[in-house]
C-alpha cells in the first residue's frame, strides 16, 4: 500500500507504507493517517537527519551481500542484479518536504 504525503510547500511524496512506517514510528505518528504540523517540522527534520546519519554508519555488510547472492544465484543471467536502496535514499524526499514545510510554515498531511 502507498502513502501519499502532501504539503503546500512541496510536491506530493509517495512511499510504500512499510518504508514510511519506520519514519513515522520515529516521529511517533500513525502510518494510516496524520499530520506533522509546521511547529513539529523542526523537530521532525532533526530526528530524521539523525536517523539518516546513524543509518549511514551501518551500511550493508558483506554478510547481507552473500545472503542476497545465495538466494539469487551468481550465474542468474535472466535477472538484473539486486540493488539495495538505503534508508537515506528512501527518506530523502520526505526530509526535503519537511524542510520546505518548516521553512514555509505549512503542515504535512497523509491519509486524508
Amino acid at each position: 500500500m502507498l502513502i501519499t504525503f502532501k504539503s503546500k510547500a512541496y510536491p506530493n511524496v509517495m512511499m510504500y507504507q512499510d518504508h514510511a512506517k519506520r519514519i513515522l514510528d520515529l516521529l511517533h505518528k500513525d502510518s494510516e493517517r496524520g499530520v506533522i504540523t509546521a511547529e513539529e517540522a523542526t523537530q521532525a527534520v532533526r530526528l530524521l537527519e539523525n536517523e539518516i546519519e546513524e543509518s549511514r554508519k551501518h551500511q550493508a555488510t558483506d554478510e547481507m551481500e552473500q545472503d542476497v547472492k545465495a538466494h539469487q544465484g551468481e550465474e542468474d543471467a535472466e535477472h538484473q542484479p539486486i540493488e539495495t536502496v538505503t534508508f537515506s535514499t528512501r527518506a530523502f524526499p520526505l526530509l526535503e518536504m519537511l524542510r520546505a514545510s518548516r521553512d514555509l510554515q505549512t503542515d504535512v498531511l497523509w491519509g486524508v
Side-chain angles (χ1 to χ4, degrees):
M1 177 179 219
L2 290 174
I3 294 178
T4 302
F5 295 94
K6 300 174 183 181
S7 172
K8 292 179 181 178
Y10 199 81
N12 289 353
V13 172
M14 293 176 58
M15 191 179 293
Y16 284 113
Q17 186 172 11
D18 291 344
H19 300 150
K21 186 167 177 11
R22 178 176 174 189
I23 297 168
L24 295 172
D25 285 348
L26 175 71
L27 303 176
H28 305 289
K29 298 291 183 176
D30 181 28
S31 62
E32 295 294 322
R33 176 185 306 185
V35 62
I36 299 171
T37 65
E39 293 78 26
E40 294 174 318
T42 299
Q43 179 67 11
V45 167
R46 190 175 313 117
L47 287 170
L48 193 49
E49 286 173 340
N50 289 341
E51 186 70 13
I52 288 170
E53 187 61 35
E54 191 62 31
S55 74
R56 286 182 176 160
K57 293 177 184 175
H58 305 286
Q59 294 295 325
T61 63
D62 290 335
E63 183 178 306
M64 185 181 99
E65 187 176 322
Q66 290 172 358
D67 188 46
V68 168
K69 286 180 182 176
H71 291 286
Q72 181 184 18
E74 291 193 49
E75 301 301 321
D76 190 354
E78 292 181 28
H79 298 93
Q80 294 290 326
I82 294 175
E83 295 181 26
T84 38
V85 179
T86 64
F87 174 74
S88 60
T89 300
R90 291 190 196 283
F92 185 76
L94 185 57
L95 177 60
E96 286 296 295
M97 176 183 271
L98 287 167
R99 287 176 178 155
S101 296
R102 172 197 63 197
D103 295 344
L104 296 176
Q105 291 296 296
T106 61
D107 298 339
V108 174
L109 306 166
W110 63 96
V112 291

